[in-house]
Amino acid sequence: DTEVTQTPKHLVMGMTNKKSLKCEQHMGHRAMYWYKQKAKKPPELMFVYSYEKLSINESVPSRFSPECPNSSLLNLHLHALQPEDSALYLCASSAYQGVQETQYFGPGTRLLVL
Amino acid sequence: AQSVAQPEDQVNVAEGNPLTVKCTYSVSGNPYLFWYVQYPNRGLQFLLKYITGDNLVKGSYGFEAEFNKSQTSFHLKKPSALVSDSALYFCAVRPQSGSGNTGKLIFGQGTTLQVKP
């Protein structure tokens, strides 16, 4: 089973709202990732967690705040977003944060910021 | 700089014909190469990867890819296309890092495959 689940599937929020995206995997993977994807463009890496510790932050604005409460869960807290933050947010996981490891992606959360 | 190129924005093939989606890469060191497919309004699905060994890699849904080190290419192929193969395809590379293993995926810009009945 290579399933990564994400909730919600769709989210509409105002620029003053606070919301959270959730990602879950039960494959025993120890590396988890957040990506942002605009329509018909490749995903852009935002954050990487390895063994529940933040390993990479790709200079993402502080209005995005990741959290990894345990090895199966990854959250992305959103606050004071801008309309240009509207995108598909993808979560992925891999066994380890190694070059040979395959990243498995969830279905994504489609975010619209009004 | 390390990069991946998918030279075709779109590839059109007739159902039943063979298909090729092209990918070339530029990395220092040995490349680890991946192909993903994305159907409309969905996440990315892993198709196959090349790590080492046999240059011809077989993957999901009848897809295969050939690693060519001299041409720095990793083209995706399928002998007989299906209408259901119509989707956005991404090639990606994870370069073998020297200092610090970030494991970052570098994606190509994507190729839309359109298979017509």
Side-chain angles (χ1 to χ4, degrees):
Chain A
D1 185 12
T2 56
E3 188 177 25
V4 176
T5 60
Q6 290 187 244
T7 55
K9 290 184 179 179
H10 301 273
L11 180 62
V12 180
M13 61 186 291
M15 289 189 284
T16 59
N17 292 158
K18 285 185 181 181
K19 297 286 185 183
S20 296
L21 310 184
K22 180 180 172 181
C23 172
E24 195 164 3
Q25 56 87 15
H26 295 287
M27 297 177 279
H29 288 176
R30 304 314 300 269
M32 296 186 76
Y33 310 76
W34 279 116
Y35 287 85
K36 173 184 178 180
Q37 186 183 26
K38 292 282 197 178
K40 296 194 181 296
K41 296 293 186 183
E44 301 170 14
L45 182 66
M46 300 175 71
F47 303 103
V48 181
Y49 273 82
S50 179
Y51 289 88
E52 295 103 74
K53 287 186 168 54
L54 184 63
S55 173
I56 296 176
N57 177 341
E58 290 283 292
S59 303
V60 178
S62 60
R63 57 185 184 268
F64 295 91
S65 175
E67 179 197 20
C68 191
N70 60 55
S71 61
S72 300
L73 278 175
L74 186 66
N75 297 320
L76 186 62
H77 303 297
L78 314 172
H79 174 55
L81 294 192
Q82 303 296 311
E84 59 265 27
D85 297 322
S86 299
L88 182 67
Y89 288 84
L90 294 165
C91 174
S93 72
S94 62
Y96 305 101
Q97 192 188 342
V99 289
Q100 298 187 18
E101 300 300 329
T102 300
Q103 291 183 26
Y104 295 96
F105 286 79
T109 293
R110 190 162 298 282
L111 174 66
L112 178 62
V113 181
L114 300 177
Chain B
Q2 312 197 77
S3 63
V4 176
Q6 294 180 242
E8 300 154 317
D9 289 336
Q10 182 158 329
V11 170
N12 298 309
V13 298
E15 188 175 30
N17 283 1
L19 70 88
T20 299
V21 183
K22 295 180 180 177
C23 172
T24 59
Y25 64 90
S26 174
V27 298
S28 54
N30 293 323
Y32 298 95
L33 295 154
F34 300 79
W35 273 103
Y36 287 87
V37 60
Q38 186 172 32
Y39 296 99
N41 300 311
R42 304 284 294 276
L44 275 67
Q45 293 182 27
F46 168 71
L47 283 178
L48 50 81
K49 68 180 179 183
Y50 173 81
I51 301 299
T52 187
D54 195 348
N55 289 343
L56 185 63
V57 180
K58 293 190 183 296
S60 306
Y61 313 120
F63 284 95
E64 58 188 29
E66 186 167 10
F67 173 67
N68 188 316
K69 189 172 183 178
S70 63
Q71 297 186 7
T72 61
S73 67
F74 189 55
H75 301 331
L76 182 70
K77 300 182 179 186
K78 187 175 182 182
S80 179
L82 300 173
V83 172
S84 56
D85 293 329
S86 299
L88 181 58
Y89 290 79
F90 289 104
C91 180
V93 64
R94 291 181 93 168
Q96 186 182 50
S97 58
S99 58
N101 179 359
T102 67
K104 182 177 178 178
L105 267 174
I106 300 171
F107 285 95
Q109 287 301 304
T111 299
T112 298
L113 174 65
Q114 188 73 40
V115 181
K116 297 188 176 178

